[in-house]
Amino acid sequence: MTESMNLSNSVKIKWLITIVCTVVVFFIPTNDVYTKSMSLFFTITLFGLFLMAFEFFEPMVVSILMPMAWVAVGVTDAAGAMSGFTSTIVPMLAGAYFLANALSESGLLKRVALIVIKACGGSWFGLVFGVFLAGVVISILTFSMGYIILATLCVGIIKSLDIRMASKESAMIGFACILGVCSSRTFIYAPASYAIVIAQGRLIDPTFDVTPVHAFTHNIPMFIISCVMLWLVNKIWKTNLSLQSKEYFKNELDKLGKMDKKEKKSVIFMVFFFALLISSTFIGMDANLLFALAPWVLLLPGVNVASSQSVKDMNWQNLFFIAACMSIGTVAASLGIGNLIADLSAPLLGKFGTVGFFVVLFAIVFILNLFMTPSAIWGVITAPMCEVAVSLGISIRPVCYALVMCSEAVVFPYEYVPYLIVFSFGMMSMTDFIKLNAWKCLFSLIGFVCLVIPYWMLIGVL
């Protein structure tokens, strides 16, 4: 019993880092600009985010303790602390999470992934590209929530081809998985990402919105960049496995047999759902409400695509944490932290022109990503960065797109939950994860500057 209660050296170091950093922030001198309320807010928030980053507690615990601690020390009232929980974003995300589980339960997502990989998998790079493309398709169908599905399938592929787990070959497959189901958020509509960014952007422009059509048509260069990046990294990584089990995908599809009633109903639902999403751009329908209401149709008698298990398996922990992160932005804005960040950032961001603005923004988010989750970053800096952009004559739309894109510049697994989950499947070692994603960060920045920004200028977004 005593041994089980002893902390490992790594855990002790993590607690030491958490406590030291929190204490340092707490003792930063306050004044008329950096007030005592700001100090308490930063101290509590930093402590909570360290608890999350080092996984000392479950996300739901932190999501409750952090807002209540703000209230306890007088930083804000209960309404402000829980503001993220009362927005339409929470039911929207709940609907999106449920939809991903329902489509997985029906078997449709596995069939789609196998079809795509089989079509591309005639060679080593064909297999890798097929994994990436399957990830993009699954992400579109699940609105970026299908990473567990593809990661599971990738492990099956690795084992069927007699590839050693955590080898260079399995790491490359894992990297393709990450590009497909994680980094695809840069060019498809991901509710969990855009929910917070849109909410904060509306503090500057109440009419601001991003639809699935906007997200794709305005950011399609990132798909091209991802394809080129995958090819380049594969060349650098120097893996060229001779496939011996090309029939694996065909055999797996044969095992699924013909589409059953559940899968057919899922297809019909998704056709109608996508039609509504696309039309929402033109008829002014709130896409948030569509996500919040439509997916639950799959539970109705006569439809029966999903079961209560799809509800039970929803990521409630992440839902709570995203809501708490949205509250971070609301409370920060009420304390004037947004104006403080804007005042400090404006001189730097305004020195290098439009392109320089986005490069500096990329660097700011990249650094913050090492210490905060993307949700927390969006909650804290979206509004102030938009304020700075407006003062420089830049639309807030590309700023919000850039914040989502820059948050995908991940080097360590802990920085972003989807990356952590894919990493946890054991396809790559920590060293390989860092190396592969460091290349991804470099190529993403180059592509962002050389292709995305000029494209925004060409189509009038920037």
Side-chain angles (χ1 to χ4, degrees), residues 196-209 329 333 338-339 342 378 380-391 394-397 399-400 403:
I196 302 174
V197 173
I198 292 172
Q200 296 302 309
R202 285 175 179 171
L203 296 176
I204 310 303
D205 179 3
T207 64
F208 176 65
D209 194 18
N339 294 330
W378 298 325
V380 170
I381 75 168
T382 298
M385 290 301 103
C386 287
E387 284 185 3
V388 174
V390 170
S391 70
I394 299 173
S395 167
I396 71 169
R397 181 172 293 279
V399 176
C400 291
L403 285 168

Side-chain angles (χ1 to χ4, degrees), residues 22-45:
T22 303
V23 170
V24 168
V25 170
F26 178 75
F27 282 106
I28 294 176
T30 59
N31 50 43
D32 293 339
V33 177
Y34 183 67
T35 65
K36 186 64 176 178
S37 293
M38 289 182 183
S39 174
L40 291 172
F41 171 76
F42 278 122
T43 301
I44 293 169
T45 304

Side-chain angles (χ1 to χ4, degrees), residues 99 127 159 179 192 197 270 325 426 449:
L99 180 59
L127 169 63
K159 291 181 178 179
L179 271 184
V197 173
M270 290 306 297
C325 288
V449 172

Side-chain angles (χ1 to χ4, degrees), residues 160-181:
S160 72
L161 298 177
D162 294 323
I163 298 174
R164 181 172 56 83
M165 292 291 283
S167 63
K168 291 190 71 173
E169 290 76 18
S170 72
M172 193 63 212
I173 292 174
F175 179 68
C177 178
I178 284 174
L179 271 184
V181 291

Side-chain angles (χ1 to χ4, degrees), residues 7 10 26 29 44-45 58 68 76 103 123 137 152 164 198 208-209 269 320-321 335-336 351 359 412 436:
L7 299 178
S10 63
F26 178 75
I44 293 169
T45 304
E58 295 294 333
M68 289 300 96
T76 186
L103 294 178
S123 65
V137 173
T152 303
R164 181 172 56 83
I198 292 172
F208 176 65
D209 194 18
F269 171 81
F320 265 71
F321 186 64
L335 294 174
K351 283 182 178 179
V359 172
F412 301 99
L436 287 165

Side-chain angles (χ1 to χ4, degrees), residues 25 38 63 98 124 197 233 248 255 327 334 349 374 382:
V25 170
M38 289 182 183
S63 302
F98 167 75
W124 168 247
V197 173
V233 172
Y248 169 78
K255 289 179 184 178
S327 297
S334 70
L349 290 166
T382 298

